[in-house]
Amino acid sequence: MALNFPKTLLTPLIRLATPADVSSIIRLERACASAAHWTERQYRQAFEDGGVKRLVLVADTPAHSVPAIPGADPNILAFLVALHLAPEWELENIVVVRSSRRQGVGERLLRALLATARETNSKSVFLEVRESNAAARSLYEKTGFEKTGRRTSYYKNPAEDAVLYRLGLE
Ligand SMILES: CC(C)(COP(=O)(O)OP(=O)(O)OC[C@H]1O[C@@H](n2cnc3c(N)ncnc32)[C@H](O)[C@@H]1OP(=O)(O)O)[C@@H](O)C(=O)NCCC(=O)NCCS
């Protein structure tokens, strides 16, 4: 008989996303007001090599960590999208499903981006975030990002300043 193992003790697996993850990514993003919102086409383009290099990572539970099958729904817990503008990276979006927050998933995804940035000999990683987004700002500050400025009324609906962060890698 299979043992009941507490779900909270399972470590989510961080892996590269595939086009089969797009519908799950969009579902997660749409349920999250503070996420950056992209069209399905923009997500699909992130997997096309049009000269622009993007890193798309997802976190899923070990139970779902079988190799991605085209058309399958991998049922992801979280995702991250980042743009490589050599010699820099920009974090464009990071979302963790509400039920899996405060368990270190966001930090693991972000540290995977930082490791990738180091491997690609990058100078820095930068990002912008709504001023009121305390959870995200706290995550960025914990992982070493420093505030570099602000853009007044950068966001709409509702209007709000963006706070700019940078993490130097040199
Ligand atoms: C921001 C977000 C990605 C953090 O993901 P997470 O998996 O919950 O974060 P972690 O558990 O890895 O937390 C790492 C650190 O971030 C900080 N943090 C995360 N959530 C926090 C919260 N609600 N309040 C205060 N600090 C928080 C803490 O410093 C935490 O370290 P600690 O647990 O040792 O205190 C998640 O809250 C989220 O998906 N928010 C909605 C989407 C969003 O706003 N994305 C960012 C803008 S695009």
Side-chain angles (χ1 to χ4, degrees):
M1 192 174 75
L3 287 174
N4 261 340
F5 190 75
K7 252 176 116 179
T8 48
L9 293 181
L10 295 172
T11 308
L13 180 107
I14 309 289
R15 62 170 171 83
L16 284 172
T18 76
D21 294 309
V22 167
S23 55
S24 300
I25 288 173
I26 290 174
R27 236 189 337 267
L28 196 51
E29 186 243 77
R30 299 290 191 262
C32 180
S34 60
H37 296 293
W38 284 14
T39 62
E40 178 173 351
R41 187 172 159 70
Q42 285 173 307
Y43 281 114
R44 296 215 174 271
Q45 279 173 343
F47 296 95
E48 292 163 13
D49 188 358
V52 175
K53 301 275 185 232
R54 282 200 162 84
L55 176 72
V56 187
L57 297 173
V58 294
D60 51 14
T61 63
H64 293 106
S65 62
V66 290
I69 299 159
D73 180 355
N75 197 11
I76 60 170
L77 297 178
F79 72 91
L80 172 154
V81 185
L83 175 63
H84 192 196
L85 299 161
E88 298 184 313
W89 282 84
E90 179 183 3
L91 174 62
E92 297 182 300
N93 213 354
I94 179 168
V95 181
V96 177
V97 68
R98 196 170 290 277
S99 57
S100 293
R101 290 186 190 162
R102 292 317 293 265
Q103 294 171 31
V105 180
E107 186 172 339
R108 289 188 62 216
L109 276 174
L110 190 51
R111 290 197 188 280
L113 166 61
L114 301 183
T116 307
R118 286 193 180 92
E119 271 176 27
T120 51
N121 299 318
S122 304
K123 284 188 174 165
S124 61
V125 180
F126 61 95
L127 62 88
E128 71 226 356
V129 59
R130 278 186 182 269
E131 186 173 31
S132 65
N133 194 339
R137 291 183 62 182
S138 172
L139 168 64
Y140 303 145
E141 287 169 17
K142 183 183 180 188
T143 45
F145 281 82
E146 288 174 354
K147 215 157 60 167
T148 55
R150 102 174 18 242
R151 289 200 184 112
T152 308
S153 299
Y154 178 77
Y155 293 105
K156 314 287 172 219
N157 302 319
E160 187 174 352
D161 289 1
V163 180
L164 312 183
Y165 281 92
R166 176 181 181 277
L167 186 148
L169 297 167
E170 290 182 319

